[in-house]
């Protein structure tokens, strides 16, 4: 055992099984215990460098793994002790989804690791606008600039090249023993501050926040972990063939743009685009940039395209396909493993409303392009199918529940069409009514509505601020009540108690701009509706994942996007899995209106959007596939 100098007291470097066992024995049973794996990377199969532990009132410790270190303990011995001692404690950490993932990959069983709290999630539940990074929180909450591992190495080895000590650049097999004391001190400090964060934020969370933590966020940790480990199979050859078609289409659109302009220019250069569009071609300037220049952004291109300018139509199409190509068609094959499995990151704490965010790739913002169907590349494993289900008008149903608007309640209770109801009562086409419904809900202004449904700004203003609010008086009253609450208290909560702080709603006119003030009022309505819907999806995921496991169903959540879930199930279990998915989504939460879901069993993700493709059992004799099971 070696003593380490830390910012606060001492840490311990444990180098034998006996020392680690003695450390566990010295801890208070049934107390909180922080655990934090240090690894070579951030992926599910990253190699563990060691385990840091800390309990309040005790010295933090670090037990290195003998992959790269001689003064270390075999991973099997560490895992054996963790399986034996972890059940004594209530485990906490910062981003426990990752540490739980390392647990699973190394053999620590879920039943032996009771994850009690996640300090990253606690920060998010207190104020989702806060930076949740550990170093940032320590600096802002405790006034201590906790050095990164790279900075510790640079201080210990003066003259080393900048960037040399980044995790992914270190040759641990050569430098391990030399870096071990630095790594150990860094890991001990991490564990120490994670414990401090828990005790700092726990008193700040009210009973509502604790309910969300205990009943939504913590049960999701292992579910999201399992989704990451399992991943989803990708048809890479299909994406590559799609990429070839996209390259041809982009070349055609470039030539079309050059043809309209009468010259070749850099399509990515704003000054050159300004010169071509406004000086050479004389197109109207519809919007200025922040610096006062002539804007050529996507909104401007869409407005010009609506006015019939061909070059703008080509630009809109070119930009859409280019984003599709770079963000998905080209990037996804680079993200899959050698078995063509994609393991993106689904983050439960990535948005201010509580909605999931995702990265590597960002599937939440994927474009729906029928000519280049990205979703077709997402396929089930052999012998399995996808169950793809999403809520029918989830956020409008939530709005009907929170506002108790009599018309919307009647529409949903009678199984009618809410957009058709708005169209009939306001005397506008259904397509326009759909835009109005969501526009009013999320604060769309008259200018944007006028542009979207092709009416005058005056008419759009009347539809939003007079006709709609007068007709749907229950919604109007709830909207005013919600905005007034935000103006008085500076926050709102969704129906489960998840908070969003809106300081700009309470500030005086000298402390914020009108845009910031009215933006906060829009967010007060958006947060309750969208955030409540997001938590309903999370509760449904928890319910279905729990039932899959309890019943031994070979079915697994693999993706979640907005209001929909994608489940991979064996053909033998697909009908039972389908029943569980539908029941979980429709009955996880009871509102004043019935919750309905749409979906089917499919053989690639794109089939859900294809109305002409029936559900899998209607197309195939699935008994033919039993040989694959």
């Amino acid at each position: 055992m070696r003593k380490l100098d830390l910012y606060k007291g001492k840490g311990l470097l444990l180098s034998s099984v006996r020392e680690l066992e003695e450390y566990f024995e010295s801890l208070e049973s049934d107390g909180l215990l922080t655990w934090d794996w240090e690894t070579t990377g951030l992926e599910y199969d990253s190699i563990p460098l060691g385990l840091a532990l800390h309990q309040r009132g005790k010295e933090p410790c670090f037990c290195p793994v003998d992959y790269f270190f001689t003064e270390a303990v075999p991973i099997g011995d560490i895992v054996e002790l963790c399986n034996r001692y972890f059940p004594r404690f209530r485990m906490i950490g910062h981003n426990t989804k990752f540490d739980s993932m390392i647990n699973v990959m190394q053999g620590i069983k879920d039943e032996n690791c009771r994850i009690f709290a996640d300090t990253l999630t606690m920060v998010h539940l207190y104020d989702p606008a806060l930076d949740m990074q550990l170093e940032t929180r320590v600096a802002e909450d405790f006034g201590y600039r906790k050095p990164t591992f790279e900075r510790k190495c640079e201080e210990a080895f003066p003259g080393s090249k900048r960037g040399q000590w980044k995790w992914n650049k270190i040759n641990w097999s050569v430098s391990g023993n030399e870096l071990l004391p630095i790594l150990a001190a860094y890991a001990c400090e991490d564990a120490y501050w994670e414990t401090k964060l828990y005790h700092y934020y726990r008193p700040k969370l009210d009973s509502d926040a604790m309910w969300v933590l205990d009943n939504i966020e913590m049960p999701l940790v292992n579910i999201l972990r399992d989704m990451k480990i399992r991943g989803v199979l990708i048809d890479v050859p299909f994406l590559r063939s799609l990429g070839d078609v996209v390259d041809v289409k982009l070349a055609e659109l470039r030539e079309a743009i050059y043809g309209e302009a009468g010259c070749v220019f850099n399509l990515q250069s704003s000054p050159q685009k300004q010169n071509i569009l406004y000086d050479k071609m004389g197109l109207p300037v519809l919007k200025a940039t922040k610096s006062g220049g002539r804007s050529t952004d996507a909104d401007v291109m869409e407005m010009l395209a609506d006015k019939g300018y061909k070059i703008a139509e080509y630009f809109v199409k070119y930009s859409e396909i280019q984003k599709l190509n770079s963000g998905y068609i080209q990037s996804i094959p680079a993200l899959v493993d050698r078995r063509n499995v994609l393991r993106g990151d689904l983050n439960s704490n990535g948005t201010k409303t509580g909605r999931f965010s995702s990265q590597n790739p960002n599937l939440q913002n994927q474009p729906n392009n029928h000519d280049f169907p990205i979703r077709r590349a997402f396929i089930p494993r052999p012998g399995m199918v996808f169950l793809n289900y999403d809520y029918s008008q989830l956020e409008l149903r939530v709005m009907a529940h929170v506002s108790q608007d009599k018309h919307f309640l009647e529409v949903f209770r009678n199984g009618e069409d809410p957009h058709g109801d708005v169209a009939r009562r306001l005397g506008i086409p259904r397509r326009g009514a759909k835009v109005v419904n969501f526009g009013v809900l999320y604060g769309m202004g008259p200018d944007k509505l006028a542009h979207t449904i092709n009416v005058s700004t005056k008419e759009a203003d009347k539809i939003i601020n007079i006709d709609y609010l007068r007709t749907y008086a229950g919604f109007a009253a709830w909207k005013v009540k919600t905005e007034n609450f935000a103006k008085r208290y500076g926050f709102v909560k969704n129906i489960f108690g998840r908070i969003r702080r809106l300081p700009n709603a309470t500030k005086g006119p000298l402390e914020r701009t009108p845009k910031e003030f009215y933006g906060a009022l829009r967010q007060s309505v958006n947060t309750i509706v969208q955030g409540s819907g997001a938590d309903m999806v999370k509760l449904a995921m928890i319910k279905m994942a729990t039932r899959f496991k309890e019943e031994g169903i070979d079915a697994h959540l693999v993706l979640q996007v907005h209001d929909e879930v994608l489940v991979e199930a064996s053909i033998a279990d697909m009908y039972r899995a389908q029943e569980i998915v539908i029941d979980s989504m429709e009955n996880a939460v009871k509102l004043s209106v019935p919750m309905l879901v749409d979906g089917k069993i499919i053989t690639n993700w794109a089939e859900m959007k294809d109305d002409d493709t029936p559900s899998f059992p209607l197309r195939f004799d699935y008994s033919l596939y039993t040989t694959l099971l």
Side-chain angles (χ1 to χ4, degrees):
M1 183 183 297
R2 197 195 309 185
K3 291 282 187 177
L4 303 165
D5 288 322
L6 306 180
Y7 168 69
K8 292 282 188 179
K10 299 287 184 180
L12 302 174
L13 173 56
L14 310 181
S15 55
S16 71
V17 174
R18 180 181 57 81
E19 289 175 353
L20 179 57
E21 188 171 16
E22 288 176 352
Y23 185 85
F24 274 124
E25 288 289 348
S26 73
L27 301 176
E28 177 188 346
S29 291
D30 204 38
L32 298 171
L33 178 62
T34 300
W35 101 108
D36 188 352
W37 287 101
E38 295 298 338
T39 62
T40 55
L42 297 176
E43 285 303 308
Y44 80 107
D45 56 355
S46 298
I47 298 173
L49 297 170
L51 176 66
L53 300 168
H54 180 242
Q55 189 175 74
R56 194 180 194 184
K58 303 287 186 180
E59 293 176 309
C61 77
F62 180 71
C63 183
V65 178
D66 67 352
Y67 288 146
F68 305 124
F69 311 113
T70 55
E71 187 182 355
V73 178
I75 185 64
D77 291 336
I78 295 175
V79 168
E80 192 276 326
L81 288 176
C82 288
N83 275 319
R84 189 197 314 171
Y85 284 102
F86 274 7
R88 295 185 181 185
F89 309 104
R90 291 170 292 156
M91 308 299 291
I92 62 175
H94 195 77
N95 188 19
T96 54
K97 183 179 79 171
F98 176 78
D99 294 290
S100 176
M101 186 162 59
I102 302 303
N103 279 3
V104 168
M105 297 306 295
Q106 299 305 319
I108 299 173
K109 297 177 181 178
D110 283 346
E111 58 266 30
N112 293 335
C113 185
R114 295 178 295 160
I115 306 178
F116 181 71
D118 186 320
T119 52
L120 182 148
T121 302
M122 293 172 74
V123 172
H124 189 263
L125 289 176
Y126 173 69
D127 185 353
L130 292 176
D131 187 325
M132 294 171 286
Q133 187 179 33
L134 182 61
E135 284 79 8
T136 304
R137 292 277 38 91
V138 171
E140 295 185 1
D141 296 333
F142 301 103
Y144 171 56
R145 296 282 175 185
K146 190 176 89 63
T148 63
F149 175 72
E150 185 180 6
R151 184 177 142 200
K152 280 181 173 287
C153 290
E154 289 172 349
E155 290 173 351
F157 301 98
S160 58
K161 293 181 180 178
R162 188 168 182 82
Q164 178 180 340
W165 305 111
K166 289 186 181 297
W167 290 107
N168 61 348
K169 293 186 178 182
I170 298 172
N171 186 345
W172 288 97
S173 60
V174 174
S175 310
N177 290 324
E178 193 175 22
L179 295 176
L180 178 55
I182 302 171
L183 174 66
Y186 169 80
C188 284
E189 279 207 342
D190 269 4
Y192 169 82
W193 286 112
E194 288 167 26
T195 305
K196 290 279 286 184
L197 272 186
Y198 172 82
H199 291 286
Y200 181 79
Y201 278 95
R202 175 59 189 88
K204 294 178 178 292
L205 299 182
D206 62 15
S207 59
D208 287 337
M210 288 306 298
W211 189 93
V212 175
L213 180 71
D214 294 339
N215 293 280
I216 299 179
E217 293 302 336
M218 297 318 300
L220 271 176
V221 168
N222 289 347
I223 294 171
L224 298 181
R225 173 206 69 193
D226 291 344
M227 292 173 69
K228 169 82 173 178
I229 292 173
R230 184 175 184 84
V232 61
L233 188 61
I234 299 296
D235 185 346
V236 173
F238 170 75
L239 279 181
R240 287 179 176 148
S241 65
L242 198 61
D244 294 337
V245 177
V246 165
D247 288 342
V248 172
K249 184 63 178 179
L250 288 173
E252 290 175 355
L253 287 168
R254 279 194 296 271
E255 291 304 316
I257 291 171
Y258 297 152
E260 287 292 315
C263 64
V264 174
F265 61 101
N266 183 355
L267 304 188
Q268 310 304 321
S269 168
S270 294
Q272 290 188 37
K273 286 165 69 175
Q274 290 171 15
N275 178 262
I276 295 295
L277 296 175
Y278 302 128
D279 298 330
K280 186 174 187 294
M281 300 184 67
L283 271 61
V285 178
L286 302 180
K287 192 172 79 171
T289 63
K290 289 183 179 179
S291 60
R294 299 168 294 178
S295 176
T296 60
D297 66 15
D299 287 342
V300 168
M301 289 301 169
E302 288 184 8
M303 288 188 282
L304 289 170
D306 287 342
K307 291 181 178 295
Y309 294 104
K310 278 290 183 185
I311 192 170
E313 292 178 20
Y314 295 143
F315 260 119
V316 169
K317 193 68 175 175
Y318 183 85
S319 177
E320 176 188 340
I321 297 175
Q322 189 181 47
K323 289 178 181 177
L324 195 72
N325 192 35
S326 61
Y328 301 94
I329 296 173
Q330 298 299 327
S331 67
I332 289 177
L335 294 171
V336 301
D337 68 9
R338 58 190 177 86
R339 294 185 178 87
N340 290 340
V341 174
L342 176 70
R343 293 182 176 85
D345 293 296
L346 191 62
N347 183 3
S348 189
N349 303 306
T351 68
K352 294 176 182 177
T353 63
R355 255 189 174 187
F356 284 111
S357 65
S358 67
Q359 60 190 76
N360 301 320
N362 180 3
L363 294 175
Q364 306 296 318
N365 292 332
Q366 60 177 309
N368 183 23
N369 190 300
H370 294 290
D371 296 326
F372 306 104
I374 303 299
R375 288 186 170 203
R376 192 179 296 170
F378 291 72
I379 57 176
R381 292 166 173 83
M384 308 197 83
V385 291
F386 283 153
L387 282 67
N388 195 187
Y389 279 84
D390 66 1
Y391 281 101
S392 172
Q393 297 152 338
L394 173 61
E395 290 170 9
L396 286 176
R397 291 174 191 269
V398 171
M399 182 270 280
H401 171 79
V402 297
S403 71
Q404 292 292 295
D405 182 276
K406 66 177 183 180
H407 291 314
F408 277 113
L409 290 174
E410 181 182 4
V411 163
F412 286 123
R413 286 170 178 171
N414 294 336
E416 297 171 358
D417 173 22
H419 304 313
D421 188 76
V422 170
R424 178 174 60 82
R425 293 181 187 277
L426 269 59
I428 58 178
R430 185 186 183 281
R431 183 188 68 85
K434 185 175 182 179
V435 175
V436 170
N437 259 333
F438 291 109
V440 170
L441 204 58
Y442 297 126
M444 179 185 287
D447 290 339
K448 182 70 178 290
L449 179 63
H451 167 68
T452 305
I453 66 174
N454 197 27
V455 297
S456 68
T457 301
K458 183 177 180 181
E459 187 176 352
D461 183 67
K462 179 175 179 291
I463 291 172
I464 292 175
N465 296 315
I466 298 177
D467 298 345
Y468 192 98
L469 298 183
R470 183 181 293 163
T471 303
Y472 298 97
F475 167 74
W478 171 79
K479 182 173 181 286
V480 170
K481 181 180 177 182
T482 299
E483 291 173 345
N484 285 340
F485 184 94
K487 285 189 283 188
R488 182 175 181 180
Y489 296 105
F491 71 88
V492 293
K493 290 183 177 182
N494 73 11
I495 62 176
F496 302 101
R498 185 186 295 271
I499 198 170
R500 182 175 183 182
R501 301 184 188 278
L502 301 167
N504 284 323
T506 60
K507 292 178 180 177
L510 298 179
E511 300 175 284
R512 45 75 183 162
T513 65
K515 183 178 180 180
E516 290 172 333
F517 175 68
Y518 290 109
L521 298 187
R522 286 194 298 272
Q523 289 163 2
S524 68
V525 173
N526 173 284
T527 293
I528 295 175
V529 174
Q530 189 181 92
S532 298
D535 278 334
M536 289 180 66
V537 174
K538 290 178 178 181
L539 286 165
M541 291 170 64
I542 293 166
K543 186 172 183 178
M544 71 179 72
T546 302
R547 291 177 66 183
F548 291 156
K549 187 170 292 187
E550 289 175 348
E551 296 187 25
I553 299 295
D554 187 8
H556 315 269
L557 278 157
V558 290
L559 292 175
Q560 193 287 323
V561 177
H562 297 321
D563 302 339
E564 70 175 297
V565 296
L566 189 69
V567 170
E568 187 176 45
S570 68
I571 293 172
D573 287 337
M574 64 181 177
Y575 285 123
R576 181 57 187 146
Q578 184 183 40
E579 291 173 354
I580 290 173
V581 169
I582 294 171
D583 181 66
S584 297
M585 294 179 74
E586 292 187 344
N587 297 302
V589 179
K590 292 294 186 182
L591 299 185
S592 304
V593 296
M595 303 307 299
L596 299 178
V597 297
D598 300 316
K600 54 188 176 183
I601 302 174
I602 52 181
T603 56
N604 70 69
W605 197 14
E607 290 178 349
M608 178 64 181
K609 297 289 186 181
D610 187 353
D611 294 334
D612 295 328
T613 302
S615 189
F616 170 83
L618 300 178
R619 289 179 281 149
F620 298 98
D621 177 2
Y622 62 89
S623 63
L624 298 176
Y625 288 75
T626 56
T627 56
L628 296 172
L629 300 178

